[in-house]
Amino acid sequence: MSIAPASPPASAPVVRLRVPTDEDALSWYRIFDDPEVMEYFGGRRADFSVYEELTARQRRHDAELGYCLWTLTDEDDTVLGFTGAQPWPHTHYGPVGATEIGWRLGRAAWGRGYATVAARATLERVRAAGVSEVVAMIHSRNARSTAVAERLGMRRAESYATPRGQEAHCFRLEL
């Protein structure tokens, strides 16, 4: 299933969001094999099995909730990463019970507007699914993701210490 943003500005990139496939686990594994991309996620990509489980979980979320972390592609169907929403996946810290919006792109896609356009499409989809508020948990030093959250109209709320002892800011947006 593809989800296109509603009438993006002429300068905005074309994005496609689709439910992740088994093959996307390998694409994500390769794209996220970059210390800069993974700087705020432990500094290195996860094992391949983690991406296999993540894509399978996202397929379940889409079937059950109508949204997930979708595979993000450009107009040529090149996989750029993911953007979407999911229930906050942790029970021991953070905004437990919230719907988290998120994005992670390979470095080649940075600075081109893909994350913002795809996140706006995500907001439309979760709003249509009946979600009334979303959060974004962002590492305190991640200026790029903070900028995306602010472009979406999200406002910084509380902060949390992550299990790794890092500070993460919770941004919130009522839909």
Side-chain angles (χ1 to χ4, degrees), residues 18 21 34 38 41 51 55 64-65 69 71 73 90 99 110 142 151 154 165 169 171:
R18 61 176 164 77
T21 64
D34 181 325
M38 299 305 292
F41 303 97
Y51 295 103
T55 55
E64 295 168 6
L65 304 171
L69 295 177
T71 295
T73 68
H90 306 285
T99 299
W110 289 3
N142 190 338
R151 282 193 290 276
M154 300 185 87
H169 299 305
F171 288 77

Side-chain angles (χ1 to χ4, degrees), residues 144-164:
R144 289 178 181 275
S145 282
T146 295
V148 172
E150 290 173 347
R151 282 193 290 276
L152 297 174
M154 300 185 87
R155 297 290 173 247
R156 184 175 156 191
E158 65 274 19
S159 295
Y160 296 95
T162 70
R164 291 187 204 116

